[in-house]
Amino acid sequence: MASARPPRKIGPRLLAPSRILRPTIRRAGGGRDRHALVVKSWDMIAAGSKSFAAASLLFDAKTRERVWMLYAWCRRCDDIADGQELGGELGEAADLNRIKAIRVLTKRALDGEPTADVAFDAFGQVAAECRLTMEMAEDVIAGFELDAVGWRPRSERDLARYCYHVAGAVGVMMAIVMGVPKDDSETLDRACDLGIAFQLANIARDLDEDDRADRCYLPLEWLAEEDIEPGQLMKPHHQWERTELAERLVLRMERHAAAARLGAKKLPFRSRWAILAATNIYTEIGQEVRRRSVHAWDHRVVISTGRKLRLITRAFFEAIRNDPDQPEQMPEWTRGDILIDVRMAGPIAPPPMEPLPDED
């Protein structure tokens, strides 16, 4: 009689035989269909920024699609950080957990891994096509991080740093998407100027909206010069001081916008037309704030469709002429100086912990 075989040792059961396990295949856009990413990105820009959506239609087809995908990522990051939907009413203040989520999803997108979020997958697609890097994305994410830690600008230089992170760095990426070489520092500087100009216009227009969300992007030094007490910016007794501060923002916006026009000179015609159109529209927003004076925040400043069409038509002839005027005064804040400040400042520190109450 044959001896019985010893019982076979059985280890932990695998969910699937090891021979059929495969690593995740990394593909641009997380494996999503590119056309679907473009369509969803257009939906986001059409709902989130009517002004930029109108100007973006002037790009050639390939550039237009790439611009939309980059915008979709910017819009989605902003919405996650601010707890809003497509730039709507601001929600709860940003916190560092949301910023961490943005950073993780962005890194996954750049690595070609699926993120389960169309906007991040779109960013992965355009990043692969145009060689955008995590370092470039980090410059933008740092702006959301500043909000998350309750950072406020003390000086004009601080304001420049904030505008760089939330808009100037986006302008640099947009220029690269349009085909500007990464070593063309002069043109990238002007693209940064355009982003800063856009943000200054937004800050001037949205003083009341930011105030309701307990935010203020005006330098503390400016507020002190005007004897505006903390939290009192939008009070009626400070309407003239508020108007003067908005004027200072608009003046700086105009300088950055004028400098940006110099960089547009090097772009292909369709891209140049689109950028000049966007410049005209956003400059008009800032100038309308100035024209309305103390009534600038009675109703949100918007540019009508008719005015946008006139500004786009004007940009067409400016793009044909392609001979921008030399600004009377270049911006005080340059991309190089701002980047030095950013690198010297180092990582953004979280706010100090509130002391725990004494126990009875």
Side-chain angles (χ1 to χ4, degrees), residues 114-300:
T115 67
D117 190 300
V118 172
F120 285 91
D121 289 338
F123 181 67
Q125 181 70 44
V126 69
E129 294 177 11
C130 302
R131 298 185 180 181
L132 302 179
T133 66
M134 190 65 196
E135 183 180 12
M136 297 174 190
E138 281 285 0
D139 275 351
V140 179
I141 295 171
F144 305 124
E145 203 163 26
L146 288 173
D147 280 330
V149 300
W151 182 90
R152 296 292 180 266
R154 299 190 62 84
S155 64
E156 291 187 22
R157 201 173 189 91
D158 288 341
L159 175 60
R161 178 190 176 192
Y162 180 76
C163 289
Y164 167 75
H165 282 307
V166 300
V170 177
V172 172
M173 284 200 288
M174 285 286 181
I176 292 172
V177 164
M178 293 176 212
V180 176
K182 294 180 182 178
D183 59 358
D184 187 351
S185 296
E186 177 65 25
T187 303
L188 296 181
D189 287 350
R190 302 289 74 79
C192 178
D193 282 323
L194 184 60
I196 291 176
F198 287 4
Q199 187 61 26
L200 290 170
N202 285 335
I203 292 173
R205 178 184 61 184
D206 296 337
L207 288 178
D208 58 336
E209 180 181 333
D210 290 333
D211 184 72
R212 290 194 299 272
D214 195 28
R215 297 181 182 182
C216 181
Y217 298 109
L218 296 173
L220 295 177
E221 292 177 357
W222 288 12
L223 299 175
E225 290 170 12
E226 297 289 346
D227 290 326
I228 298 177
E229 308 87 346
Q232 300 295 301
L233 176 65
M234 298 307 297
K235 300 300 182 183
H237 63 282
H238 283 310
Q239 62 178 350
W240 292 110
E241 293 90 342
R242 179 171 65 246
T243 301
E244 183 176 331
L245 293 178
E247 166 67 24
R248 293 172 74 170
L249 289 171
V250 172
L251 177 61
R252 284 154 181 77
M253 174 210 72
E254 290 174 330
R255 290 174 183 167
H256 282 281
R261 293 176 183 277
L262 301 178
K265 184 176 182 178
K266 295 184 179 181
L267 299 175
F269 174 76
R270 293 287 297 271
S271 293
R272 184 165 67 248
W273 182 17
I275 289 303
L276 291 175
T279 303
N280 289 348
I281 292 170
Y282 274 86
T283 300
E284 183 71 8
I285 290 172
Q287 291 173 342
E288 181 63 19
V289 170
R290 172 195 285 153
R291 285 191 289 268
R292 293 189 186 185
S293 185
V294 297
H295 300 293
W297 305 277
D298 294 349
H299 305 283
R300 194 170 196 263

